[in-house]
């Protein structure tokens, strides 16, 4: 069994790994264990945590939001991921295998994935068909759920709360993802799908 550490931003992403991602990957021969960074996401903090975990796991990855990066500046998602690897290299050089580090930055926010199938929101308190139609309208404005933008007023989590004020990220987020299912999320979210495909292959 391949041991995979998943550095997550907070409790919601940790629960998503525990409840949705880990059971799926276990069937692929990969044991995934989340470890929380506790917010305040930066390249330096991520690289440091990954370097700490490197010796105790076969592979280390991350699941953090592009939206929440404190030091992203003008960098793209891909640039941030490359800089994370460079940061790990600076801590572990020369005796490390970069193939064992798989940084992943979610574009733009974890909640974007929940728009993969908006009927998953039906179990949120206050959800009705009118709310679902509003969420469907939001989803229809973007090529994929991952591209729902990260402006402070229109980030996926803000959009959800505007429609469903009783939405509780920690409780509802992982449950919605579980209801939607990995197959639908990866079909609708190309970047997430590429990451998951790579994780699936680790045992081989």
């Amino acid at each position: 069994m391949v041991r995979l550490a998943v550095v997550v931003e907070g409790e919601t992403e940790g629960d998503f790994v525990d409840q949705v991602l880990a059971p799926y990957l276990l069937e692929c021969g990969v044991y995934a264990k989340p470890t929380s960074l506790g917010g305040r996401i930066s390249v330096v903090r991520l690289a440091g945590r990954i370097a700490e975990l490197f010796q105790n796991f076969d592979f280390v990855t991350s699941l953090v939001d592009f939206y929440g990066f404190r030091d992203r500046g003008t960098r793209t998602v891909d640039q941030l991921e490359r800089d994370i690897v460079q940061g790990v290299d600076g801590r572990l050089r020369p005796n490390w295998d970069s193939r064992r580090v798989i940084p992943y930055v979610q574009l733009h926010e974890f909640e974007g994935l929940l728009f993969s199938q908006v009927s998953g929101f039906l179990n949120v308190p206050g959800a009705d068909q009118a709310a679902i139609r509003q969420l469907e309208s939001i989803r229809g404005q973007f090529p994929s759920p991952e591209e729902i933008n990260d402006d402070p007023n229109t980030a996926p989590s803000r959009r959800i709360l505007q429609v469903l004020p009783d939405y509780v990220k920690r409780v509802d987020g992982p449950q919605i993802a579980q209801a939607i299912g990995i197959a639908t999320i990866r079909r609708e979210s190309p970047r997430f799908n590429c990451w998951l495909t790579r994780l699936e292959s680790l045992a081989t």
Side-chain angles (χ1 to χ4, degrees):
M1 185 70 66
V2 170
R3 299 167 302 161
L4 171 69
V6 186
V7 182
V8 297
E9 184 165 345
E11 295 176 335
T12 301
E13 292 81 7
D15 288 346
F16 170 73
V17 173
D18 273 334
Q19 298 172 24
V20 183
L21 189 64
Y24 176 80
L25 289 175
L26 197 60
E27 297 182 4
C28 303
V30 178
Y31 170 72
K33 179 178 176 59
T35 176
S36 176
L37 201 57
R40 297 185 294 112
I41 301 300
S42 70
V43 169
V44 172
R45 292 193 71 221
L46 261 176
R49 179 61 62 84
I50 290 172
E52 290 172 3
L53 295 166
F54 187 83
Q55 301 302 331
N56 296 318
F57 289 85
D58 300 304
F59 296 89
V60 186
T61 189
S62 61
L63 175 56
V64 295
D65 295 342
F66 182 57
Y67 176 70
F69 257 86
R70 295 198 168 197
D71 60 344
R72 79 183 198 191
T74 60
R75 288 181 284 188
T76 66
V77 173
D78 293 333
Q79 287 172 331
L80 285 172
E81 290 179 349
R82 288 193 295 269
D83 289 347
I84 292 166
V85 173
Q86 290 180 358
V88 176
D89 179 66
R91 288 163 173 79
L92 298 180
R93 186 185 296 175
N95 299 314
W96 78 295
D97 183 351
S98 62
R99 293 172 297 181
R100 291 173 51 199
V101 171
I102 308 166
Y104 177 68
V105 178
Q106 180 61 53
L107 181 71
H108 284 277
E109 191 177 27
F110 168 76
E111 278 79 6
L113 299 176
L114 306 182
F115 282 85
S116 297
Q117 188 176 71
V118 297
S119 61
F121 286 91
L122 279 171
N123 291 326
V124 176
D128 56 19
Q129 289 302 321
I132 296 303
R133 285 194 294 271
Q134 285 182 268
L135 295 170
E136 286 176 341
S137 176
I138 294 168
R139 169 65 185 89
Q141 297 171 37
F142 299 89
S144 80
E146 295 174 308
E147 294 182 58
I148 297 175
N149 66 34
D150 68 341
D151 180 275
N153 296 314
T154 57
S157 58
R158 295 293 179 90
R159 291 174 184 265
I160 293 169
L161 287 170
Q162 288 166 4
V163 177
L164 296 170
D166 293 327
Y167 170 80
V168 179
K169 179 175 181 175
R170 171 88 193 269
V171 176
D172 296 317
Q175 290 181 356
I176 293 168
Q178 197 167 31
I180 295 170
I182 284 286
T184 299
I185 293 174
R186 71 187 309 177
R187 184 179 67 243
E188 296 293 316
S189 304
R191 186 175 171 80
F192 177 87
N193 178 58
C194 288
W195 176 58
L196 184 58
T197 299
R198 188 170 180 188
L199 299 185
E200 288 172 326
S201 70
L202 296 182
T204 58

